[in-house]
Amino acid sequence: MKKQIFVSLIAFALMSSSAHSQKDLFFADIKLAKDTLYPFDMLVFTVYLKAIQPVNARAYNKNSKLQIRMEEPSQSKWYFYEGMEGDFGGFIDDDSEAKIMISPDFLFSHSFTMEYSPDPALARQDTICPYSLMPGKYALRVIYSPDMLIRHAWDGNNVIEKCTDCVIKEVPVVVLDHYLGPDQAAYEWIKKQKYKCILFRSYYAYRAMDEIIAQGEEFLRLFPESSLVPMIHCKVGENLRKNYERNAEESKLSPAEAAQKLEAIVTHLNYYKHLKKYEPLYMYYLLMHEKYKDILLRFKARHGIK
């Protein structure tokens, strides 16, 4: 009887030890496209999660979170990060909470592009597009729990800080308040404009689209040497595309005029080729360019335009 009790205690101790050390069976990493950002740079990064040995755990994409915190000039709270991919409370909207067997052969990776601050309190609206990061030092971290469910913990800071099981990888990010060389003059010009978001997703109503396009085209005339030129081209092309789609049904343009508008969209979007370091944006504009290039070719063929 004593021997059975002893064996049971040993087994329980091993199970407890395994539970508390489960996080050591996982590797996590964040690879930044750039760790030092200029004012209009977007935070582009890829998250990696991998098991070191076969383990029964919650799926990576259903039990992971991303957070960001300002460290300097003053420390903020941890914010659950929102961006192009939506809320980072879970990478995928799925109700399944079951554990699965995860093999070391499977590497989970997902790319993100930060275009919004986690909270308007961190926005510097006088100089940078609203919802972009203000200058300072930040910490970006990914949190994954093999055991404890954190996906539904929207008030999750307390949960995460108490999570002894969580795998956490943290990386520093620096945001500068100036550019070097010709980009500083371009940045100063943008700060004086009515619409400071020409580099970003359009936050303005469609009624402002023509003004935003005109502002982008003026930038391209004034600062042809700026490193921001490829992004401005793509944003102008995207807004021209939105304008074209909005007016397509009611447009009374001649085929030649319509073809000219499609040509402009394709020409601007062709600058996607210079955005390879920003992989998600590169793919976004690549697909848009290929779609409209095909539309243009079919339109010309249909109307006999060379």
PDB file of all heavy atoms in Angstrom, residues 59-67 79-83 85-94 112 142-145 149-156 160:
ATOM      1  N   ALA A  59      -3.958  25.117 -29.803  1.00  0.00           N
ATOM      2  CA  ALA A  59      -3.445  25.551 -31.101  1.00  0.00           C
ATOM      3  C   ALA A  59      -2.871  26.960 -31.003  1.00  0.00           C
ATOM      4  O   ALA A  59      -3.401  27.817 -30.307  1.00  0.00           O
ATOM      5  CB  ALA A  59      -4.558  25.507 -32.142  1.00  0.00           C
ATOM      6  N   TYR A  60      -1.783  27.194 -31.730  1.00  0.00           N
ATOM      7  CA  TYR A  60      -1.126  28.500 -31.699  1.00  0.00           C
ATOM      8  C   TYR A  60      -2.093  29.626 -32.061  1.00  0.00           C
ATOM      9  O   TYR A  60      -2.157  30.661 -31.402  1.00  0.00           O
ATOM     10  CB  TYR A  60       0.028  28.535 -32.701  1.00  0.00           C
ATOM     11  CG  TYR A  60       1.132  27.546 -32.454  1.00  0.00           C
ATOM     12  CD1 TYR A  60       1.617  26.763 -33.494  1.00  0.00           C
ATOM     13  CD2 TYR A  60       1.705  27.407 -31.193  1.00  0.00           C
ATOM     14  CE1 TYR A  60       2.654  25.861 -33.290  1.00  0.00           C
ATOM     15  CE2 TYR A  60       2.740  26.516 -30.978  1.00  0.00           C
ATOM     16  CZ  TYR A  60       3.210  25.734 -32.027  1.00  0.00           C
ATOM     17  OH  TYR A  60       4.227  24.850 -31.820  1.00  0.00           O
ATOM     18  N   ASN A  61      -2.850  29.400 -33.139  1.00  0.00           N
ATOM     19  CA  ASN A  61      -3.662  30.491 -33.674  1.00  0.00           C
ATOM     20  C   ASN A  61      -4.920  30.751 -32.875  1.00  0.00           C
ATOM     21  O   ASN A  61      -5.676  31.656 -33.191  1.00  0.00           O
ATOM     22  CB  ASN A  61      -4.027  30.216 -35.134  1.00  0.00           C
ATOM     23  CG  ASN A  61      -4.734  28.896 -35.316  1.00  0.00           C
ATOM     24  OD1 ASN A  61      -4.939  28.162 -34.364  1.00  0.00           O
ATOM     25  ND2 ASN A  61      -5.104  28.582 -36.541  1.00  0.00           N
ATOM     26  N   LYS A  62      -5.170  29.961 -31.826  1.00  0.00           N
ATOM     27  CA  LYS A  62      -6.373  30.161 -31.032  1.00  0.00           C
ATOM     28  C   LYS A  62      -6.049  30.560 -29.595  1.00  0.00           C
ATOM     29  O   LYS A  62      -6.946  30.766 -28.799  1.00  0.00           O
ATOM     30  CB  LYS A  62      -7.230  28.898 -31.033  1.00  0.00           C
ATOM     31  CG  LYS A  62      -7.655  28.454 -32.423  1.00  0.00           C
ATOM     32  CD  LYS A  62      -8.610  27.294 -32.350  1.00  0.00           C
ATOM     33  CE  LYS A  62      -8.974  26.822 -33.746  1.00  0.00           C
ATOM     34  NZ  LYS A  62      -7.936  25.989 -34.349  1.00  0.00           N
ATOM     35  N   ASN A  63      -4.779  30.639 -29.268  1.00  0.00           N
ATOM     36  CA  ASN A  63      -4.440  30.942 -27.887  1.00  0.00           C
ATOM     37  C   ASN A  63      -3.212  31.844 -27.797  1.00  0.00           C
ATOM     38  O   ASN A  63      -2.373  31.688 -26.912  1.00  0.00           O
ATOM     39  CB  ASN A  63      -4.188  29.649 -27.107  1.00  0.00           C
ATOM     40  CG  ASN A  63      -4.655  29.771 -25.663  1.00  0.00           C
ATOM     41  OD1 ASN A  63      -5.620  30.471 -25.380  1.00  0.00           O
ATOM     42  ND2 ASN A  63      -3.978  29.103 -24.760  1.00  0.00           N
ATOM     43  N   SER A  64      -3.132  32.795 -28.737  1.00  0.00           N
ATOM     44  CA  SER A  64      -2.006  33.722 -28.768  1.00  0.00           C
ATOM     45  C   SER A  64      -2.515  35.147 -28.768  1.00  0.00           C
ATOM     46  O   SER A  64      -3.600  35.431 -29.271  1.00  0.00           O
ATOM     47  CB  SER A  64      -1.164  33.490 -30.025  1.00  0.00           C
ATOM     48  OG  SER A  64      -0.685  32.179 -30.090  1.00  0.00           O
ATOM     49  N   LYS A  65      -1.701  36.034 -28.227  1.00  0.00           N
ATOM     50  CA  LYS A  65      -2.022  37.458 -28.219  1.00  0.00           C
ATOM     51  C   LYS A  65      -0.778  38.265 -28.555  1.00  0.00           C
ATOM     52  O   LYS A  65       0.344  37.818 -28.316  1.00  0.00           O
ATOM     53  CB  LYS A  65      -2.551  37.889 -26.843  1.00  0.00           C
ATOM     54  CG  LYS A  65      -3.966  37.419 -26.539  1.00  0.00           C
ATOM     55  CD  LYS A  65      -4.414  37.928 -25.174  1.00  0.00           C
ATOM     56  CE  LYS A  65      -5.840  37.504 -24.875  1.00  0.00           C
ATOM     57  NZ  LYS A  65      -6.812  38.191 -25.715  1.00  0.00           N
ATOM     58  N   LEU A  66      -1.015  39.457 -29.083  1.00  0.00           N
ATOM     59  CA  LEU A  66       0.065  40.415 -29.304  1.00  0.00           C
ATOM     60  C   LEU A  66      -0.240  41.665 -28.496  1.00  0.00           C
ATOM     61  O   LEU A  66      -1.376  42.117 -28.435  1.00  0.00           O
ATOM     62  CB  LEU A  66       0.169  40.776 -30.782  1.00  0.00           C
ATOM     63  CG  LEU A  66       0.847  39.732 -31.658  1.00  0.00           C
ATOM     64  CD1 LEU A  66       0.583  40.025 -33.114  1.00  0.00           C
ATOM     65  CD2 LEU A  66       2.346  39.714 -31.397  1.00  0.00           C
ATOM     66  N   GLN A  67       0.798  42.215 -27.899  1.00  0.00           N
ATOM     67  CA  GLN A  67       0.649  43.442 -27.123  1.00  0.00           C
ATOM     68  C   GLN A  67       1.793  44.395 -27.437  1.00  0.00           C
ATOM     69  O   GLN A  67       2.879  43.976 -27.842  1.00  0.00           O
ATOM     70  CB  GLN A  67       0.660  43.139 -25.627  1.00  0.00           C
ATOM     71  CG  GLN A  67      -0.556  42.391 -25.123  1.00  0.00           C
ATOM     72  CD  GLN A  67      -0.519  42.241 -23.613  1.00  0.00           C
ATOM     73  OE1 GLN A  67       0.488  41.858 -23.024  1.00  0.00           O
ATOM     74  NE2 GLN A  67      -1.625  42.552 -22.965  1.00  0.00           N
ATOM     75  N   TYR A  79      -1.094  47.371 -24.303  1.00  0.00           N
ATOM     76  CA  TYR A  79      -2.303  47.449 -25.112  1.00  0.00           C
ATOM     77  C   TYR A  79      -2.394  46.208 -25.997  1.00  0.00           C
ATOM     78  O   TYR A  79      -1.394  45.789 -26.574  1.00  0.00           O
ATOM     79  CB  TYR A  79      -2.277  48.685 -26.019  1.00  0.00           C
ATOM     80  CG  TYR A  79      -2.432  49.982 -25.283  1.00  0.00           C
ATOM     81  CD1 TYR A  79      -1.319  50.756 -24.949  1.00  0.00           C
ATOM     82  CD2 TYR A  79      -3.688  50.456 -24.916  1.00  0.00           C
ATOM     83  CE1 TYR A  79      -1.457  51.955 -24.273  1.00  0.00           C
ATOM     84  CE2 TYR A  79      -3.837  51.655 -24.243  1.00  0.00           C
ATOM     85  CZ  TYR A  79      -2.716  52.396 -23.925  1.00  0.00           C
ATOM     86  OH  TYR A  79      -2.854  53.579 -23.260  1.00  0.00           O
ATOM     87  N   PHE A  80      -3.587  45.649 -26.088  1.00  0.00           N
ATOM     88  CA  PHE A  80      -3.805  44.579 -27.050  1.00  0.00           C
ATOM     89  C   PHE A  80      -3.860  45.214 -28.419  1.00  0.00           C
ATOM     90  O   PHE A  80      -4.596  46.161 -28.651  1.00  0.00           O
ATOM     91  CB  PHE A  80      -5.080  43.799 -26.730  1.00  0.00           C
ATOM     92  CG  PHE A  80      -4.933  42.960 -25.511  1.00  0.00           C
ATOM     93  CD1 PHE A  80      -5.485  43.356 -24.302  1.00  0.00           C
ATOM     94  CD2 PHE A  80      -4.198  41.798 -25.556  1.00  0.00           C
ATOM     95  CE1 PHE A  80      -5.311  42.598 -23.167  1.00  0.00           C
ATOM     96  CE2 PHE A  80      -4.018  41.029 -24.426  1.00  0.00           C
ATOM     97  CZ  PHE A  80      -4.577  41.426 -23.223  1.00  0.00           C
ATOM     98  N   TYR A  81      -3.050  44.690 -29.279  1.00  0.00           N
ATOM     99  CA  TYR A  81      -2.689  45.356 -30.509  1.00  0.00           C
ATOM    100  C   TYR A  81      -3.731  45.134 -31.591  1.00  0.00           C
ATOM    101  O   TYR A  81      -4.151  44.019 -31.843  1.00  0.00           O
ATOM    102  CB  TYR A  81      -1.341  44.780 -30.910  1.00  0.00           C
ATOM    103  CG  TYR A  81      -0.718  45.315 -32.131  1.00  0.00           C
ATOM    104  CD1 TYR A  81      -0.128  46.561 -32.115  1.00  0.00           C
ATOM    105  CD2 TYR A  81      -0.682  44.561 -33.280  1.00  0.00           C
ATOM    106  CE1 TYR A  81       0.487  47.037 -33.247  1.00  0.00           C
ATOM    107  CE2 TYR A  81      -0.067  45.039 -34.408  1.00  0.00           C
ATOM    108  CZ  TYR A  81       0.514  46.275 -34.393  1.00  0.00           C
ATOM    109  OH  TYR A  81       1.121  46.747 -35.508  1.00  0.00           O
ATOM    110  N   GLU A  82      -4.172  46.216 -32.232  1.00  0.00           N
ATOM    111  CA  GLU A  82      -5.099  46.115 -33.352  1.00  0.00           C
ATOM    112  C   GLU A  82      -4.447  46.715 -34.590  1.00  0.00           C
ATOM    113  O   GLU A  82      -3.774  47.733 -34.530  1.00  0.00           O
ATOM    114  CB  GLU A  82      -6.408  46.854 -33.054  1.00  0.00           C
ATOM    115  CG  GLU A  82      -7.213  46.207 -31.943  1.00  0.00           C
ATOM    116  CD  GLU A  82      -8.567  46.871 -31.772  1.00  0.00           C
ATOM    117  OE1 GLU A  82      -8.969  47.594 -32.686  1.00  0.00           O
ATOM    118  OE2 GLU A  82      -9.180  46.665 -30.728  1.00  0.00           O
ATOM    119  N   GLY A  83      -4.671  46.069 -35.719  1.00  0.00           N
ATOM    120  CA  GLY A  83      -4.071  46.538 -36.954  1.00  0.00           C
ATOM    121  C   GLY A  83      -4.799  45.980 -38.148  1.00  0.00           C
ATOM    122  O   GLY A  83      -5.978  45.698 -38.094  1.00  0.00           O
ATOM    123  N   GLU A  85      -4.856  43.156 -39.391  1.00  0.00           N
ATOM    124  CA  GLU A  85      -5.388  41.809 -39.230  1.00  0.00           C
ATOM    125  C   GLU A  85      -6.563  41.765 -38.271  1.00  0.00           C
ATOM    126  O   GLU A  85      -7.089  40.707 -37.989  1.00  0.00           O
ATOM    127  CB  GLU A  85      -4.280  40.868 -38.719  1.00  0.00           C
ATOM    128  CG  GLU A  85      -3.075  40.795 -39.626  1.00  0.00           C
ATOM    129  CD  GLU A  85      -3.431  40.266 -40.991  1.00  0.00           C
ATOM    130  OE1 GLU A  85      -4.371  39.471 -41.097  1.00  0.00           O
ATOM    131  OE2 GLU A  85      -2.775  40.663 -41.965  1.00  0.00           O
ATOM    132  N   GLY A  86      -6.971  42.907 -37.734  1.00  0.00           N
ATOM    133  CA  GLY A  86      -8.078  42.896 -36.771  1.00  0.00           C
ATOM    134  C   GLY A  86      -7.568  42.760 -35.357  1.00  0.00           C
ATOM    135  O   GLY A  86      -6.399  42.996 -35.064  1.00  0.00           O
ATOM    136  N   ASP A  87      -8.425  42.359 -34.456  1.00  0.00           N
ATOM    137  CA  ASP A  87      -8.046  42.278 -33.052  1.00  0.00           C
ATOM    138  C   ASP A  87      -7.077  41.119 -32.830  1.00  0.00           C
ATOM    139  O   ASP A  87      -7.314  40.006 -33.269  1.00  0.00           O
ATOM    140  CB  ASP A  87      -9.289  42.078 -32.188  1.00  0.00           C
ATOM    141  CG  ASP A  87      -8.998  42.377 -30.727  1.00  0.00           C
ATOM    142  OD1 ASP A  87      -8.000  41.872 -30.201  1.00  0.00           O
ATOM    143  OD2 ASP A  87      -9.775  43.117 -30.133  1.00  0.00           O
ATOM    144  N   PHE A  88      -5.986  41.391 -32.141  1.00  0.00           N
ATOM    145  CA  PHE A  88      -4.982  40.367 -31.930  1.00  0.00           C
ATOM    146  C   PHE A  88      -5.286  39.495 -30.723  1.00  0.00           C
ATOM    147  O   PHE A  88      -4.429  38.794 -30.227  1.00  0.00           O
ATOM    148  CB  PHE A  88      -3.604  41.006 -31.743  1.00  0.00           C
ATOM    149  CG  PHE A  88      -3.039  41.620 -32.978  1.00  0.00           C
ATOM    150  CD1 PHE A  88      -3.776  41.658 -34.148  1.00  0.00           C
ATOM    151  CD2 PHE A  88      -1.787  42.154 -32.987  1.00  0.00           C
ATOM    152  CE1 PHE A  88      -3.259  42.229 -35.291  1.00  0.00           C
ATOM    153  CE2 PHE A  88      -1.258  42.735 -34.133  1.00  0.00           C
ATOM    154  CZ  PHE A  88      -1.997  42.768 -35.278  1.00  0.00           C
ATOM    155  N   GLY A  89      -6.505  39.581 -30.196  1.00  0.00           N
ATOM    156  CA  GLY A  89      -6.886  38.682 -29.105  1.00  0.00           C
ATOM    157  C   GLY A  89      -6.826  37.235 -29.542  1.00  0.00           C
ATOM    158  O   GLY A  89      -6.713  36.333 -28.729  1.00  0.00           O
ATOM    159  N   GLY A  90      -6.898  36.963 -30.828  1.00  0.00           N
ATOM    160  CA  GLY A  90      -6.736  35.623 -31.379  1.00  0.00           C
ATOM    161  C   GLY A  90      -6.454  35.768 -32.855  1.00  0.00           C
ATOM    162  O   GLY A  90      -7.079  36.565 -33.532  1.00  0.00           O
ATOM    163  N   PHE A  91      -5.505  35.021 -33.375  1.00  0.00           N
ATOM    164  CA  PHE A  91      -5.151  35.179 -34.771  1.00  0.00           C
ATOM    165  C   PHE A  91      -6.295  34.772 -35.699  1.00  0.00           C
ATOM    166  O   PHE A  91      -6.448  35.281 -36.783  1.00  0.00           O
ATOM    167  CB  PHE A  91      -3.921  34.334 -35.109  1.00  0.00           C
ATOM    168  CG  PHE A  91      -2.676  34.781 -34.421  1.00  0.00           C
ATOM    169  CD1 PHE A  91      -1.980  33.921 -33.598  1.00  0.00           C
ATOM    170  CD2 PHE A  91      -2.208  36.078 -34.577  1.00  0.00           C
ATOM    171  CE1 PHE A  91      -0.821  34.335 -32.967  1.00  0.00           C
ATOM    172  CE2 PHE A  91      -1.053  36.492 -33.954  1.00  0.00           C
ATOM    173  CZ  PHE A  91      -0.367  35.624 -33.138  1.00  0.00           C
ATOM    174  N   ILE A  92      -7.096  33.803 -35.268  1.00  0.00           N
ATOM    175  CA  ILE A  92      -8.192  33.309 -36.097  1.00  0.00           C
ATOM    176  C   ILE A  92      -9.460  33.247 -35.265  1.00  0.00           C
ATOM    177  O   ILE A  92      -9.452  32.816 -34.116  1.00  0.00           O
ATOM    178  CB  ILE A  92      -7.863  31.916 -36.667  1.00  0.00           C
ATOM    179  CG1 ILE A  92      -6.685  32.013 -37.655  1.00  0.00           C
ATOM    180  CG2 ILE A  92      -9.078  31.310 -37.360  1.00  0.00           C
ATOM    181  CD1 ILE A  92      -6.269  30.697 -38.231  1.00  0.00           C
ATOM    182  N   ASP A  93     -10.553  33.693 -35.844  1.00  0.00           N
ATOM    183  CA  ASP A  93     -11.840  33.682 -35.149  1.00  0.00           C
ATOM    184  C   ASP A  93     -12.421  32.271 -35.211  1.00  0.00           C
ATOM    185  O   ASP A  93     -13.061  31.883 -36.179  1.00  0.00           O
ATOM    186  CB  ASP A  93     -12.795  34.681 -35.797  1.00  0.00           C
ATOM    187  CG  ASP A  93     -14.108  34.784 -35.031  1.00  0.00           C
ATOM    188  OD1 ASP A  93     -14.159  34.288 -33.904  1.00  0.00           O
ATOM    189  OD2 ASP A  93     -15.063  35.357 -35.583  1.00  0.00           O
ATOM    190  N   ASP A  94     -12.166  31.500 -34.189  1.00  0.00           N
ATOM    191  CA  ASP A  94     -12.591  30.100 -34.166  1.00  0.00           C
ATOM    192  C   ASP A  94     -12.995  29.766 -32.736  1.00  0.00           C
ATOM    193  O   ASP A  94     -12.305  30.108 -31.784  1.00  0.00           O
ATOM    194  CB  ASP A  94     -11.433  29.210 -34.628  1.00  0.00           C
ATOM    195  CG  ASP A  94     -11.875  27.777 -34.900  1.00  0.00           C
ATOM    196  OD1 ASP A  94     -12.578  27.215 -34.045  1.00  0.00           O
ATOM    197  OD2 ASP A  94     -11.508  27.244 -35.954  1.00  0.00           O
ATOM    198  N   PHE A 112       2.332  40.535 -39.909  1.00  0.00           N
ATOM    199  CA  PHE A 112       1.447  41.620 -39.508  1.00  0.00           C
ATOM    200  C   PHE A 112       2.038  42.954 -39.966  1.00  0.00           C
ATOM    201  O   PHE A 112       3.253  43.112 -40.042  1.00  0.00           O
ATOM    202  CB  PHE A 112       1.273  41.660 -37.986  1.00  0.00           C
ATOM    203  CG  PHE A 112       0.605  40.450 -37.426  1.00  0.00           C
ATOM    204  CD1 PHE A 112       1.362  39.386 -36.964  1.00  0.00           C
ATOM    205  CD2 PHE A 112      -0.774  40.361 -37.359  1.00  0.00           C
ATOM    206  CE1 PHE A 112       0.757  38.269 -36.443  1.00  0.00           C
ATOM    207  CE2 PHE A 112      -1.391  39.245 -36.841  1.00  0.00           C
ATOM    208  CZ  PHE A 112      -0.623  38.189 -36.377  1.00  0.00           C
ATOM    209  N   VAL A 142       4.668  38.875 -28.077  1.00  0.00           N
ATOM    210  CA  VAL A 142       3.695  37.841 -28.383  1.00  0.00           C
ATOM    211  C   VAL A 142       3.587  36.942 -27.153  1.00  0.00           C
ATOM    212  O   VAL A 142       4.587  36.651 -26.486  1.00  0.00           O
ATOM    213  CB  VAL A 142       4.104  37.014 -29.625  1.00  0.00           C
ATOM    214  CG1 VAL A 142       5.450  36.330 -29.438  1.00  0.00           C
ATOM    215  CG2 VAL A 142       3.027  35.993 -29.968  1.00  0.00           C
ATOM    216  N   ILE A 143       2.371  36.539 -26.834  1.00  0.00           N
ATOM    217  CA  ILE A 143       2.106  35.663 -25.691  1.00  0.00           C
ATOM    218  C   ILE A 143       1.349  34.448 -26.188  1.00  0.00           C
ATOM    219  O   ILE A 143       0.342  34.583 -26.897  1.00  0.00           O
ATOM    220  CB  ILE A 143       1.260  36.366 -24.608  1.00  0.00           C
ATOM    221  CG1 ILE A 143       1.940  37.650 -24.135  1.00  0.00           C
ATOM    222  CG2 ILE A 143       1.011  35.447 -23.438  1.00  0.00           C
ATOM    223  CD1 ILE A 143       1.318  38.901 -24.697  1.00  0.00           C
ATOM    224  N   TYR A 144       1.829  33.271 -25.834  1.00  0.00           N
ATOM    225  CA  TYR A 144       1.139  32.035 -26.189  1.00  0.00           C
ATOM    226  C   TYR A 144       1.068  31.149 -24.955  1.00  0.00           C
ATOM    227  O   TYR A 144       2.054  30.978 -24.242  1.00  0.00           O
ATOM    228  CB  TYR A 144       1.872  31.300 -27.317  1.00  0.00           C
ATOM    229  CG  TYR A 144       1.439  29.858 -27.471  1.00  0.00           C
ATOM    230  CD1 TYR A 144       0.146  29.545 -27.904  1.00  0.00           C
ATOM    231  CD2 TYR A 144       2.307  28.811 -27.169  1.00  0.00           C
ATOM    232  CE1 TYR A 144      -0.261  28.224 -28.030  1.00  0.00           C
ATOM    233  CE2 TYR A 144       1.916  27.491 -27.295  1.00  0.00           C
ATOM    234  CZ  TYR A 144       0.627  27.203 -27.728  1.00  0.00           C
ATOM    235  OH  TYR A 144       0.225  25.896 -27.833  1.00  0.00           O
ATOM    236  N   SER A 145      -0.100  30.588 -24.689  1.00  0.00           N
ATOM    237  CA  SER A 145      -0.258  29.676 -23.563  1.00  0.00           C
ATOM    238  C   SER A 145      -0.622  28.283 -24.065  1.00  0.00           C
ATOM    239  O   SER A 145      -1.664  28.111 -24.696  1.00  0.00           O
ATOM    240  CB  SER A 145      -1.350  30.165 -22.607  1.00  0.00           C
ATOM    241  OG  SER A 145      -1.550  29.206 -21.589  1.00  0.00           O
ATOM    242  N   LEU A 149      -6.373  28.923 -21.121  1.00  0.00           N
ATOM    243  CA  LEU A 149      -7.080  29.614 -22.187  1.00  0.00           C
ATOM    244  C   LEU A 149      -7.005  31.116 -21.962  1.00  0.00           C
ATOM    245  O   LEU A 149      -7.499  31.640 -20.976  1.00  0.00           O
ATOM    246  CB  LEU A 149      -8.544  29.166 -22.241  1.00  0.00           C
ATOM    247  CG  LEU A 149      -9.337  29.709 -23.423  1.00  0.00           C
ATOM    248  CD1 LEU A 149      -8.820  29.138 -24.727  1.00  0.00           C
ATOM    249  CD2 LEU A 149     -10.815  29.406 -23.257  1.00  0.00           C
ATOM    250  N   ILE A 150      -6.386  31.842 -22.901  1.00  0.00           N
ATOM    251  CA  ILE A 150      -6.304  33.301 -22.788  1.00  0.00           C
ATOM    252  C   ILE A 150      -7.028  33.990 -23.932  1.00  0.00           C
ATOM    253  O   ILE A 150      -7.129  35.195 -23.970  1.00  0.00           O
ATOM    254  CB  ILE A 150      -4.837  33.790 -22.761  1.00  0.00           C
ATOM    255  CG1 ILE A 150      -4.108  33.415 -24.059  1.00  0.00           C
ATOM    256  CG2 ILE A 150      -4.120  33.246 -21.554  1.00  0.00           C
ATOM    257  CD1 ILE A 150      -2.718  34.026 -24.171  1.00  0.00           C
ATOM    258  N   ARG A 151      -7.583  33.209 -24.854  1.00  0.00           N
ATOM    259  CA  ARG A 151      -8.177  33.803 -26.053  1.00  0.00           C
ATOM    260  C   ARG A 151      -9.366  34.688 -25.724  1.00  0.00           C
ATOM    261  O   ARG A 151      -9.612  35.689 -26.386  1.00  0.00           O
ATOM    262  CB  ARG A 151      -8.611  32.694 -27.012  1.00  0.00           C
ATOM    263  CG  ARG A 151      -9.090  33.204 -28.350  1.00  0.00           C
ATOM    264  CD  ARG A 151      -9.226  32.051 -29.329  1.00  0.00           C
ATOM    265  NE  ARG A 151     -10.215  31.093 -28.886  1.00  0.00           N
ATOM    266  CZ  ARG A 151     -11.520  31.206 -29.144  1.00  0.00           C
ATOM    267  NH1 ARG A 151     -11.964  32.244 -29.813  1.00  0.00           N
ATOM    268  NH2 ARG A 151     -12.367  30.290 -28.750  1.00  0.00           N
ATOM    269  N   HIS A 152     -10.148  34.328 -24.699  1.00  0.00           N
ATOM    270  CA  HIS A 152     -11.341  35.102 -24.374  1.00  0.00           C
ATOM    271  C   HIS A 152     -11.077  36.165 -23.307  1.00  0.00           C
ATOM    272  O   HIS A 152     -11.995  36.837 -22.875  1.00  0.00           O
ATOM    273  CB  HIS A 152     -12.452  34.177 -23.881  1.00  0.00           C
ATOM    274  CG  HIS A 152     -12.977  33.283 -24.953  1.00  0.00           C
ATOM    275  ND1 HIS A 152     -13.410  33.757 -26.174  1.00  0.00           N
ATOM    276  CD2 HIS A 152     -13.118  31.942 -24.997  1.00  0.00           C
ATOM    277  CE1 HIS A 152     -13.819  32.746 -26.910  1.00  0.00           C
ATOM    278  NE2 HIS A 152     -13.654  31.635 -26.236  1.00  0.00           N
ATOM    279  N   ALA A 153      -9.836  36.274 -22.872  1.00  0.00           N
ATOM    280  CA  ALA A 153      -9.538  37.195 -21.767  1.00  0.00           C
ATOM    281  C   ALA A 153      -9.321  38.597 -22.322  1.00  0.00           C
ATOM    282  O   ALA A 153      -8.207  39.077 -22.445  1.00  0.00           O
ATOM    283  CB  ALA A 153      -8.305  36.725 -21.007  1.00  0.00           C
ATOM    284  N   TRP A 154     -10.433  39.282 -22.676  1.00  0.00           N
ATOM    285  CA  TRP A 154     -10.295  40.623 -23.238  1.00  0.00           C
ATOM    286  C   TRP A 154      -9.721  41.582 -22.211  1.00  0.00           C
ATOM    287  O   TRP A 154      -9.012  42.519 -22.547  1.00  0.00           O
ATOM    288  CB  TRP A 154     -11.653  41.123 -23.729  1.00  0.00           C
ATOM    289  CG  TRP A 154     -12.248  40.186 -24.723  1.00  0.00           C
ATOM    290  CD1 TRP A 154     -13.391  39.458 -24.580  1.00  0.00           C
ATOM    291  CD2 TRP A 154     -11.711  39.806 -25.987  1.00  0.00           C
ATOM    292  NE1 TRP A 154     -13.597  38.667 -25.678  1.00  0.00           N
ATOM    293  CE2 TRP A 154     -12.592  38.863 -26.555  1.00  0.00           C
ATOM    294  CE3 TRP A 154     -10.575  40.170 -26.698  1.00  0.00           C
ATOM    295  CZ2 TRP A 154     -12.365  38.290 -27.798  1.00  0.00           C
ATOM    296  CZ3 TRP A 154     -10.351  39.597 -27.925  1.00  0.00           C
ATOM    297  CH2 TRP A 154     -11.236  38.673 -28.466  1.00  0.00           C
ATOM    298  N   ASP A 155     -10.018  41.341 -20.939  1.00  0.00           N
ATOM    299  CA  ASP A 155      -9.350  42.074 -19.869  1.00  0.00           C
ATOM    300  C   ASP A 155      -8.162  41.230 -19.441  1.00  0.00           C
ATOM    301  O   ASP A 155      -8.034  40.836 -18.290  1.00  0.00           O
ATOM    302  CB  ASP A 155     -10.317  42.310 -18.705  1.00  0.00           C
ATOM    303  CG  ASP A 155      -9.690  43.152 -17.611  1.00  0.00           C
ATOM    304  OD1 ASP A 155      -8.715  43.861 -17.880  1.00  0.00           O
ATOM    305  OD2 ASP A 155     -10.181  43.069 -16.473  1.00  0.00           O
ATOM    306  N   GLY A 156      -7.294  40.949 -20.406  1.00  0.00           N
ATOM    307  CA  GLY A 156      -6.334  39.875 -20.231  1.00  0.00           C
ATOM    308  C   GLY A 156      -5.020  40.239 -19.588  1.00  0.00           C
ATOM    309  O   GLY A 156      -4.197  39.366 -19.364  1.00  0.00           O
ATOM    310  N   ILE A 160      -2.589  37.441 -18.094  1.00  0.00           N
ATOM    311  CA  ILE A 160      -1.279  37.152 -18.671  1.00  0.00           C
ATOM    312  C   ILE A 160      -0.170  37.299 -17.638  1.00  0.00           C
ATOM    313  O   ILE A 160       0.761  36.489 -17.569  1.00  0.00           O
ATOM    314  CB  ILE A 160      -1.023  38.078 -19.879  1.00  0.00           C
ATOM    315  CG1 ILE A 160      -1.956  37.672 -21.026  1.00  0.00           C
ATOM    316  CG2 ILE A 160       0.434  38.016 -20.325  1.00  0.00           C
ATOM    317  CD1 ILE A 160      -1.979  38.641 -22.173  1.00  0.00           C
TER     318      ILE A 160
END
